[in-house]
């Protein structure tokens, strides 16, 4: 079962690229983040024409997450228990954003997640980010004995070597101790990040559009696949598609893929 995650940075802008990647890599499940579109505007037909089912959760032009799969999901979730909401104005209702969508596919519970960025350490969005991660860790712990996969853009660089220059990030989000501790909570909840050991030579998953970061190989590792132990034990390989990131007008994130050897999954390769 080949599962991929990609912060697409606008699905309507890059729908054909996504469809091409499905064919290029023979992907069984593609998790997308930052689709930036409401459900009724998602280009469902493009994916269905390629032979895929679409599970999308989008409320407006912000955020948005999707799961595109060869097999039809057995169950769909548009939030996880305890997921916090957010509004810039603390006096207004803190409604849930479209940052999480889950689907049970062939017995595997797969989540496409767009973790809040945090913006600045002094911003309310930073506290929101931590609350989101804490709630996610609690949910992961409750599901640790099942086949569970949390994948997507976590907006955290868990280690110093996950950014091109740690000194350039001092005092900024993505590398603070509370964020890293929250990521560690996910691992302590019984999850394992399964792509790192296969992609040490493909270090980064994100390159800022600014300052020619891709051309300078100045990136960050902030996209991950976190699997429960029973699922992590089945991982055979992983890769980062740097070729796609080098393309013209592509997303600032790389496609991140992993292969899971599941005997009961009958996808033909």
């Amino acid at each position: 079962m080949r599962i991929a995650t990609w912060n697409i940075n606008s699905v309507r802008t890059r729908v054909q690229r996504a469809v091409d990647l499905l064919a290029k890599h023979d992907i069984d499940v593609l998790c997308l983040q930052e689709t930036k579109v409401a459900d009724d505007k998602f280009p469902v037909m493009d994916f269905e024409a390629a032979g895929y089912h679409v599970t999308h959760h989008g409320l407006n032009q912000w955020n948005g997450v999707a799961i595109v799969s060869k097999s039809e999901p057995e169950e769909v979730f548009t939030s996880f228990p305890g997921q916090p909401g957010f509004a810039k104005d603390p006096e207004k209702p803190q409604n849930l954003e479209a940052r999480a969508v889950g689907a049970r596919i062939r017995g595997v519970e797969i989540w496409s997640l767009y973790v809040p960025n945090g913006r600045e350490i002094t911003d309310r969005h930073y506290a929101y980010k931590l609350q989101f991660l804490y709630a996610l860790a609690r949910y992961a712990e409750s599901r640790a004995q099942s086949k569970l996969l949390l994948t997507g853009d976590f907006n955290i660089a868990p280690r110093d070597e996950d950014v091109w220059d740690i000194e350039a990030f001092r005092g900024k989000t993505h590398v603070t101790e509370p964020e890293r501790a929250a990521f560690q909570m996910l691992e302590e909840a019984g999850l394992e990040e399964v792509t790192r050991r296969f992609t040490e030579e493909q270090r980064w998953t994100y390159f800022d559009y600014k300052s020619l970061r891709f051309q300078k190989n100045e990136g960050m590792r902030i996209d991950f696949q976190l699997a429960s132990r029973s699922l992590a034990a089945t991982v055979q390989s992983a890769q980062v598609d740097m070729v796609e990131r080098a393309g013209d007008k592509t997303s600032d994130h790389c496609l991140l893929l992993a292969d899971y050897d599941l005997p009961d999954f009958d996808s033909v390769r």
Side-chain angles (χ1 to χ4, degrees), residues 24-83:
K24 172 186 174 182
H25 292 290
D26 190 16
I27 295 170
D28 294 300
V29 181
L30 174 61
C31 296
L32 298 173
Q33 301 86 45
E34 279 203 278
T35 58
K36 296 183 177 180
V37 67
D39 287 343
D40 62 345
K41 295 291 195 287
F42 190 94
V44 173
M45 289 189 294
D46 295 84
F47 292 100
E48 290 183 340
Y52 286 80
H53 299 271
V54 173
T55 301
H56 180 255
H57 179 41
L59 301 174
N60 46 44
Q61 74 272 32
W62 309 111
N63 309 312
V65 281
I67 298 175
V68 179
S69 57
K70 286 182 178 177
S71 298
E72 186 174 3
E74 299 139 22
E75 192 172 3
V76 170
F77 319 91
T78 55
S79 65
F80 55 85
Q83 181 178 331

Side-chain angles (χ1 to χ4, degrees), residues 95-123:
N95 296 323
L96 293 185
E97 297 182 305
R99 291 185 175 274
V101 67
R104 184 169 288 109
I105 300 172
R106 294 301 179 90
V108 181
E109 184 180 329
I110 302 169
W111 286 84
S112 179
L113 300 164
Y114 179 43
V115 174
N117 177 283
R119 299 175 184 167
E120 302 289 341
I121 296 174
T122 56
D123 196 295

Side-chain angles (χ1 to χ4, degrees), residues 208-253:
D208 197 328
Y209 288 130
K210 301 175 183 177
S211 304
L212 299 175
R213 295 297 183 202
F214 183 77
Q215 290 80 355
K216 296 176 182 177
N217 195 31
E218 296 176 347
M220 304 172 67
R221 183 188 287 267
I222 58 175
D223 301 87
F224 300 99
Q225 296 199 23
L226 289 158
S228 58
R229 291 191 178 94
S230 61
L231 185 60
T234 71
V235 177
Q236 302 294 301
S237 63
Q239 62 177 300
V240 179
D241 188 342
M242 300 290 285
V243 175
E244 168 61 27
R245 180 60 183 85
D248 184 43
K249 296 181 180 179
T250 188
S251 171
D252 43 4
H253 287 254

